[in-house]
Amino acid sequence: MSASPIVLTHPLVRHKLTRLRDKTTSTAGFRRLTRELSLLLAYEATRDLALVPRDICAPSGPMVGEELDGKKLCFVSILRAGNGLLDGMLDLVPSARVGHIGLKRDHDTLEVSEYYFNMPGDVPGRTCIVLDPMLATGHSAAAAITRVKEAGARDIVFACLLAAPEGVAHMQEKHPDVRIVTCSLDKKLDENGYIVPGLGDAGDRLFGTRDR
């Protein structure tokens, strides 16, 4: 049985998300808020990373601390909007490897096609956190995770700013083993496949351009 998505309820998340949704927020402000929210998302998405003991010498003497086990993390950005979350994640875990998946959604049929795929060679030994600001229909996210699994990943988290119930349901059907971490579970999708109330097109607002 699929687990319910993890929805962040911290006051800072709710405050920053409200400002992010505001259509009067500038491109620079949108980028900054996205980066700040990605740090908070990363904190939750990495909660279950394994730790191993490590002997160190603290200023007051020897002690046993803890550090991450194994090869740690790979962040996987779904282009183009996933890059808006990537910088903040790397601020928190600068040693992580990074993969990129380019997906294009047909605005009429909502079908997804791939135009770019590049992943580190040691993905099987890492927890992969797949990044996209929006989980709308779920088709892009599910397609990306299928490709990540084909590259050998077994421990996968999907992190997004907003999710729609329809997207969550699709992801749980296609990939019930993947944890979903989001800042908000919104009401629904509109007739064009956009999240309501949402925040508009995340890529357009991040980069000040229109994805054609």
Side-chain angles (χ1 to χ4, degrees):
M1 183 176 180
S2 302
S4 298
I6 299 169
V7 181
L8 278 60
T9 59
H10 193 284
L12 283 174
V13 172
R14 294 165 68 180
H15 168 79
K16 293 178 186 298
L17 186 57
T18 296
R19 296 185 64 187
L20 196 72
R21 292 184 193 269
D22 188 341
K23 67 180 183 180
T24 67
T25 297
S26 67
T27 298
F30 194 92
R31 288 176 187 158
R32 176 178 53 78
L33 288 162
T34 298
R35 188 172 188 142
E36 292 170 355
L37 283 165
S38 70
L39 281 165
L40 297 167
L41 272 171
Y43 179 82
E44 185 60 45
T46 57
R47 179 179 293 277
D48 295 331
L49 292 180
L51 295 169
V52 292
R54 180 188 171 196
D55 293 322
I56 63 170
C57 186
S60 59
M63 66 164 287
V64 179
E66 294 176 309
E67 65 181 9
L68 294 176
D69 187 20
K71 292 185 177 179
K72 307 179 182 75
L73 285 173
C74 176
F75 295 125
V76 183
S77 172
I78 301 178
L79 301 173
R80 62 182 170 148
N83 281 354
L85 296 175
L86 182 60
D87 286 344
M89 297 273 182
L90 288 172
D91 284 345
L92 189 66
V93 193
S95 62
R97 297 291 178 90
V98 177
H100 293 90
I101 302 177
L103 299 173
K104 184 79 172 178
R105 187 180 75 159
D106 187 291
H107 290 288
D108 295 323
T109 66
L110 304 183
E111 292 299 314
V112 176
S113 60
E114 179 184 307
Y115 63 87
Y116 184 76
F117 184 78
N118 194 337
M119 294 285 291
D122 58 354
V123 162
R126 296 176 181 269
T127 295
C128 287
I129 301 179
V130 180
L131 309 175
D132 198 345
M134 318 293 277
L135 178 59
T137 66
H139 289 89
S140 295
I145 288 169
T146 295
R147 293 290 279 122
V148 172
K149 286 182 175 180
E150 289 172 354
R154 294 295 176 264
D155 183 18
I156 303 171
V157 180
F158 182 80
C160 60
L161 296 176
L162 302 181
E166 295 91 335
V168 170
H170 186 75
M171 279 281 288
Q172 291 176 333
E173 176 188 354
K174 298 296 184 181
H175 299 289
D177 56 318
V178 172
R179 292 167 288 158
I180 300 171
V181 181
T182 184
C183 293
S184 176
L185 183 60
D186 278 17
K187 293 179 181 179
K188 61 178 183 178
L189 296 179
D190 67 14
E191 63 276 8
N192 297 312
Y194 286 96
I195 299 175
V196 177
L199 48 74
D201 187 293
D204 289 348
R205 296 192 68 187
L206 277 165
F207 303 117
T209 57
R210 185 183 176 109
D211 187 16
R212 298 183 185 277

